[in-house]
């Protein structure tokens, strides 16, 4: 689950390399892109029935969901896509970008993971009014994961996110933020040169 943000594009590839079937939600205009990254099936993230559509596609046997958005209804859609019954002796796994884990239909059946890239530093931090304690396990994982990721990139087994370089230099960054907030950027990483040549 999750749109084509940078972490979503990489997640598709890492999950596929791990041997899983990959189902992804994305805007219709990004279907070909997610297919090129290895997605096996894709669903319109704007459909009001996307969670139910995925559950029907998987015959009610989706046991792992990874939500890279965590807003705009994606946690609820992810929860609806999960199987109505967990595998024998296991729990459903719901990795969520954000803190809306309460959306799972039955919290006692689910195991939740909430992750932010900042926790990889192993230090406490603050975002707005939220305090985040140091997560040393995340730091230890990042120390092992980063060299592996570098190797996969060097071997071209993983493609970096598509980039779009915009004109205007440092002064134009605010227009990029406005486009991002207005939903005008999708499936690309927008970049600006600090100083135009």
């Amino acid at each position: 689950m999750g749109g084509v943000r940078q972490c979503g594009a990489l997640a598709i590839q890492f999950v596929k390399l791990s041997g899983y079937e990959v189902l992804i939600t994305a805007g219709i205009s990004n279907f070909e892109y997610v297919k090129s990254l290895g997605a096996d099936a894709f669903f319109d993230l704007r459909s009001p029935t996307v969670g139910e559509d995925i559950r029907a596609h998987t015959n009610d046997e989706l046991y792992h969901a990874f939500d890279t958005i965590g807003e705009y209804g994606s946690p609820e859609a992810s929860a609806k896509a999960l199987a109505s019954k967990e595998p024998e002796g296991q729990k459903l796994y719901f990795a969520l970008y954000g803190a809306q884990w309460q959306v799972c239909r039955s919290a006692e059946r689910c195991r939740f993971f909430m992750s932010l890239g900042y926790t990889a530093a192993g230090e406490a931090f603050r975002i707005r009014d939220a305090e985040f304690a140091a997560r040393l396990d995340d730091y230890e994982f990042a120390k092992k994961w980063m060299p592996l990721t570098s190797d996969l990139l060097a071997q071209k087994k993983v493609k970096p996110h598509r980039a779009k370089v915009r004109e205007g230099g440092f002064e134009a960054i605010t227009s990029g933020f406005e486009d991002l907030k207005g939903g005008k950027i999708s499936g690309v990483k927008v970049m600006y040169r600090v100083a135009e040549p």
Side-chain angles (χ1 to χ4, degrees):
M1 299 289 297
V4 189
R5 293 186 176 188
Q6 181 158 353
C7 56
L10 291 172
I12 292 169
Q13 298 172 81
F14 291 140
V15 172
K16 188 70 176 177
L17 285 169
S18 298
Y20 287 91
E21 179 182 1
V22 180
L23 312 176
I24 185 84
T25 62
I28 293 171
S29 63
N30 285 316
F31 280 5
E32 285 303 313
Y33 176 52
V34 297
K35 183 178 179 182
S36 76
L37 297 174
D40 297 294
F42 15 90
F43 300 84
D44 182 2
L45 64 82
R46 291 181 178 84
S47 167
T49 60
V50 66
E52 292 88 343
D53 296 343
I54 293 170
R55 190 177 330 155
H57 177 84
T58 61
N59 296 314
D60 198 26
E61 294 181 344
L62 179 66
Y63 304 125
H64 299 83
F66 177 38
D67 186 336
T68 63
I69 297 177
E71 56 189 358
Y72 308 121
S74 67
E76 292 80 6
S78 296
K80 288 176 183 174
L82 282 169
S84 57
K85 184 176 183 198
E86 64 274 16
E88 185 72 32
Q90 298 182 44
K91 289 192 174 191
L92 303 176
Y93 287 80
F94 191 177
L96 178 62
Y97 177 85
Q100 300 181 45
W101 57 265
Q102 300 91 341
V103 299
C104 189
R105 294 185 308 277
S106 177
E108 66 276 2
R109 295 187 310 110
C110 293
R111 184 169 178 198
F112 296 96
F113 299 89
M114 195 278 291
S115 179
L116 293 170
Y118 308 114
T119 63
E123 299 174 1
F125 61 95
R126 178 186 181 97
I127 299 178
R128 296 187 189 128
D129 295 330
E131 299 276 349
F132 295 85
R135 289 169 55 169
L136 296 179
D137 287 349
D138 287 4
Y139 173 69
E140 292 300 325
F141 176 80
K143 283 199 310 188
K144 294 176 184 173
W145 178 247
M146 291 303 172
L148 174 61
T149 304
S150 296
D151 289 346
L152 291 171
L153 282 166
Q155 296 168 29
K156 300 192 177 185
K157 292 184 177 177
V158 174
K159 300 175 194 173
H161 204 61
R162 295 184 297 186
K164 180 176 183 180
V165 179
R166 286 187 167 186
E167 302 297 320
F170 192 77
E171 293 78 18
I173 291 174
T174 53
S175 68
F177 283 131
E178 291 303 316
D179 286 347
L180 189 62
K181 284 195 283 186
K184 297 177 182 175
I185 297 172
S186 177
V188 295
K189 181 176 184 176
V190 174
M191 304 173 76
Y192 294 89
R193 295 182 182 91
V194 174
E196 291 290 351

